[in-house]
C-alpha cells in the first residue's frame, strides 16, 4: 500500500483572511490539522495559504488613525500598516493554526492583485523547498516545472534535469554516437523547452524556425580563448533595462519583428557533422544550453503566462541578443579553462561552468519587480519572416 507521501507531494490549505474577531478554522479543518500534527499524514508537507492579503492591507489603511500616521512619509506609513497587518494575522490566523497544527506548518499570505505578485513567488519558493525536503528530488523538480510564477526555479529545474539527463552524456554516452550534432542538439532543445512549461499550443518553441534562430546564435561563438579575458562582467539591472527598452520599441502592432532565420554556411558545416567530442564542439554545446535557457527566461518575462506567439518569441530573441547578457555569456564560455582532458572537463569543469553562467544570469525577485513596472503589451501572432 502506498504511503501518503508517495501519493501527494504537498497540500495547500487555503483560507480567506478573516476580519478581526472572525473565525479562521472550521471543525473539519481542525480535525485535518490534528491528523497532520499527529503524524498520520506522514511526511506530506502542508502549507497554509492565507488569501486576499490585499484586502487586509486595504482595511488597515482605511482604519489607520491620524495619530499613527502623523509626521510619517509614505514608506514609513506602509511599514506601520504592514506591522499592524502582521499583528492581526497573529491573533486571527497564526495562533489558531499553531493550536491545532503545531509550530512546524508554514504559512504564506497571498494576493493575486498586481502589486502583490511577490507573494505568489514566496508561496512557490516555500512549496518547492518543502517538497524537496520531504519527497524524492524528482518531485521538487516537477514542482518547479509545473509553476509559472518564479523564473529562478525554472533555471534550477533546468540545471537538475540537465545534470540527470544529458550534460554528462555529451562526453561519453553512446546515445550520441554516430549521430549528427543537429540530432544531439534536438535532444537538448526538447528537454530544456519542456522544463519551462510555456503555454505553447502551436509548438512554436519546437519549430525548425526557432531551432535555427538558436543555432545561428551559437554559431557566432569564437572557439578558443576570448579576445579580452580580463573583461569585467557588468550585469545588474542591465537586462531589465534592455527588455523594457526593446519591448517599448518593438511590442507595438506596427512593423513585424525581424530575426534572421536562414542557416549560415559555417553552421551547416558543423551542425550536420557526425558528433565527435572536441573542444570546439564542447563549447558550442555549452553555448546552446546556456543561450537557450536564457532566451527562455527572457521569453518568460515578456510573455507573462500568455499563450505564446511567434512575435513574442522573436521579441525575446531580440531582447536577449541586444542585451549585454548574450555577449557576456559567450565570453564566459570562451574563458573556459583548457587544462584538462575532454572527458574530465565534461565531467567536472564544463558542468560547473554551465551552472555558474545560468545561475549568474538568473533574474531575481528585485529584477522581476522592476520588470513588472513596464506597461502590459499585446503580442499578436505574425509570420516567422
Amino acid at each position: 500500500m502506498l504511503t501518503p507521501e508517495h501519493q501527494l507531494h504537498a497540500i495547500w490549505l487555503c483560507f480567506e483572511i478573516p476580519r478581526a474577531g472572525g473565525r479562521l478554522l472550521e471543525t473539519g479543518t481542525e480535525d485535518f490539522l490534528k491528523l497532520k500534527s499527529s503524524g498520520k499524514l506522514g511526511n506530506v508537507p502542508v502549507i497554509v495559504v492565507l488569501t486576499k492579503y490585499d484586502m487586509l492591507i486595504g482595511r488597515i489603511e482605511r482604519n489607520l488613525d491620524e495619530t499613527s500616521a502623523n509626521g510619517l512619509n509614505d514608506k514609513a506609513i506602509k511599514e506601520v500598516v504592514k506591522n499592524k497587518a502582521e499583528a492581526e494575522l497573529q491573533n486571527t490566523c497564526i495562533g489558531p493554526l499553531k493550536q491545532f497544527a503545531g509550530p512546524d506548518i508554514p504559512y504564506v499570505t497571498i494576493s493575486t492583485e498586481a502589486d502583490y505578485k511577490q507573494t505568489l513567488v514566496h508561496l512557490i519558493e516555500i512549496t518547492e523547498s518543502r517538497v524537496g525536503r520531504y519527497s524524492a528530488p524528482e518531485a521538487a523538480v516537477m514542482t518547479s516545472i509545473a509553476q509559472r510564477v518564479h523564473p529562478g526555479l525554472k533555471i534550477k529545474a533546468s540545471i537538475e534535469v540537465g545534470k540527470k539527463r544529458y550534460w554528462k552524456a555529451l562526453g561519453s554516452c553512446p546515445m550520441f554516437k554516430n549521430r549528427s550534432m543537429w540530432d544531439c542538439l534536438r535532444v537538448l532543445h526538447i528537454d530544456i523547452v519542456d522544463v519551462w512549461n510555456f503555454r505553447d499550443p502551436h509548438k512554436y518553441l519546437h519549430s525548425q524556425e526557432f531551432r535555427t534562430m538558436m543555432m545561428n546564435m551559437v554559431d557566432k561563438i569564437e572557439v578558443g580563448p576570448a579576445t579580452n579575458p580580463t573583461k569585467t562582467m557588468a550585469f545588474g539591472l542591465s537586462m531589465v533595462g534592455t527588455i523594457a527598452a526593446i519591448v517599448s520599441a518593438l511590442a507595438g502592432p506596427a512593423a513585424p519583428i525581424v530575426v534572421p532565420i536562414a542557416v549560415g554556411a559555417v553552421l551547416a558545416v558543423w551542425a550536420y557533422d557526425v558528433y565527435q567530442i572536441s573542444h570546439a564542439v564542447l563549447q558550442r554545446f555549452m553555448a546552446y544550453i546556456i543561450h537557450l535557457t536564457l532566451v527562455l527566461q527572457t521569453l518568460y518575462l515578456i510573455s507573462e503566462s500568455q499563450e505564446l506567439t511567434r512575435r513574442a518569441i522573436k521579441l525575446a530573441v531580440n531582447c536577449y541578443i541586444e542585451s549585454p547578457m548574450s555577449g557576456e555569456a559567450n565570453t564566459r564560455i570562451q574563458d573556459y579553462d583548457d587544462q584538462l582532458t575532454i572527458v574530465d572537463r565534461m565531467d567536472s569543469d564544463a558542468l560547473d561552468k554551465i551552472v555558474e553562467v545560468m545561475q549568474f544570469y538568473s533574474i531575481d525577485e528585485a529584477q522581476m519587480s522592476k520588470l513588472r513596472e513596464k506597461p502590459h503589451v499585446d503580442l499578436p501572432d505574425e509570420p516567422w519572416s
Side-chain angles (χ1 to χ4, degrees):
M1 180 178 177
L2 292 176
T3 57
E5 55 263 37
H6 289 112
Q7 302 176 65
L8 286 171
H9 293 149
I11 296 171
W12 285 350
L13 197 55
C14 300
F15 303 97
E16 182 177 335
I17 299 172
R19 290 180 176 271
R23 178 179 170 85
L24 177 73
L25 303 176
E26 301 295 335
T27 302
T29 309
E30 292 173 355
D31 293 340
F32 174 82
L33 291 172
K34 288 177 181 177
L35 286 174
K36 173 60 180 173
S37 61
S38 68
K40 293 182 179 179
L41 293 181
N43 287 326
V44 178
V46 175
I47 298 101
V48 171
V49 182
L50 303 172
T51 66
K52 299 187 178 180
Y53 180 64
D54 60 295
M55 295 182 68
L56 170 63
I57 294 294
R59 187 168 68 247
I60 291 174
E61 286 177 338
R62 289 192 299 273
N63 296 329
L64 193 65
D65 61 85
E66 293 184 4
T67 304
S68 299
N70 189 31
L72 299 179
N73 58 28
D74 289 345
K75 183 177 179 181
I77 291 174
K78 286 183 178 180
E79 191 64 27
V80 170
V81 170
K82 182 179 177 182
N83 291 338
K84 286 182 175 291
E86 184 61 30
E88 185 168 324
L89 285 171
Q90 290 294 329
N91 290 330
T92 62
C93 301
I94 311 311
L97 282 172
K98 288 183 177 179
Q99 178 183 348
F100 290 98
D104 192 41
I105 289 189
Y107 69 92
V108 183
T109 56
I110 70 163
S111 170
T112 57
E113 296 297 313
D115 291 341
Y116 295 90
K117 285 188 177 180
Q118 73 276 9
T119 62
L120 301 178
V121 173
H122 187 211
L123 171 60
I124 295 300
E125 287 176 338
I126 286 182
T127 303
E128 192 267 350
S129 173
R130 290 282 166 151
V131 171
R133 187 186 308 177
Y134 295 111
S135 302
E138 293 78 9
V141 173
M142 291 307 300
T143 301
S144 298
I145 292 173
Q147 59 87 28
R148 288 176 170 154
V149 174
H150 194 330
L153 290 180
K154 296 291 189 184
I155 296 282
K156 182 178 178 181
S158 295
I159 291 170
E160 293 304 316
V161 170
K163 283 180 177 179
K164 290 181 181 296
R165 286 179 61 85
Y166 52 77
W167 289 0
K168 286 191 177 182
L170 291 177
S172 56
C173 182
M175 69 182 289
F176 291 130
K177 188 176 181 181
N178 297 325
R179 294 185 178 273
S180 73
M181 284 179 276
W182 180 262
D183 292 329
C184 306
L185 290 172
R186 185 178 297 276
V187 174
L188 308 184
H189 187 100
I190 291 171
D191 280 348
I192 294 170
V193 166
D194 286 350
V195 164
W196 287 82
N197 190 29
F198 283 101
R199 293 177 58 198
D200 186 18
H202 303 291
K203 303 296 183 183
Y204 289 144
L205 292 178
H206 292 285
S207 67
Q208 184 70 42
E209 290 84 356
F210 179 60
R211 293 172 191 269
T212 303
M213 288 181 198
M214 296 308 309
M215 292 283 284
N216 287 337
M217 197 180 302
V218 171
D219 198 45
K220 295 182 184 301
I221 190 168
E222 296 178 12
V223 176
T227 55
N228 184 11
T230 62
K231 177 183 176 183
T232 301
M233 302 301 171
F235 177 54
L237 293 177
S238 58
M239 185 61 185
V240 174
T242 301
I243 289 178
I246 296 180
V247 166
S248 299
L250 295 178
I257 300 171
V258 178
V259 179
I261 57 174
V263 178
V266 176
L267 179 147
V269 171
W270 74 267
Y272 295 98
D273 266 349
V274 172
Y275 175 81
Q276 290 183 329
I277 190 65
S278 69
H279 186 68
V281 169
L282 180 56
Q283 283 197 342
R284 286 190 167 108
F285 276 127
M286 291 171 65
Y288 197 96
I289 292 168
I290 291 167
H291 285 322
L292 177 58
T293 300
L294 297 179
V295 164
L296 294 179
Q297 176 179 245
T298 308
L299 179 60
Y300 189 96
L301 301 173
I302 289 171
S303 65
E304 296 181 332
S305 298
Q306 301 176 71
E307 182 178 305
L308 288 188
T309 63
R310 285 166 290 196
R311 184 175 182 85
I313 293 168
K314 291 191 290 181
L315 178 58
V317 170
N318 267 1
C319 284
Y320 178 72
I321 291 173
E322 294 297 323
S323 75
M325 187 188 298
S326 59
E328 291 173 7
N330 269 348
T331 300
R332 287 175 178 270
I333 295 167
Q334 292 162 10
D335 286 347
Y336 163 66
D337 186 58
D338 194 24
Q339 296 296 315
L340 301 177
T341 66
I342 291 294
V343 173
D344 286 341
R345 190 167 58 244
M346 177 52 71
D347 285 343
S348 56
D349 282 10
L351 303 185
D352 292 342
K353 178 59 70 174
I354 293 170
V355 172
E356 172 197 310
V357 177
M358 287 166 63
Q359 289 179 336
F360 183 83
Y361 292 110
S362 176
I363 300 289
D364 62 22
E365 179 53 32
Q367 294 163 329
M368 282 287 294
S369 297
K370 190 74 176 175
L371 278 168
R372 290 189 187 111
E373 297 173 5
K374 69 177 177 63
H376 174 77
V377 293
D378 291 324
L379 293 166
D381 211 357
E382 65 183 30
W384 286 114
S385 60

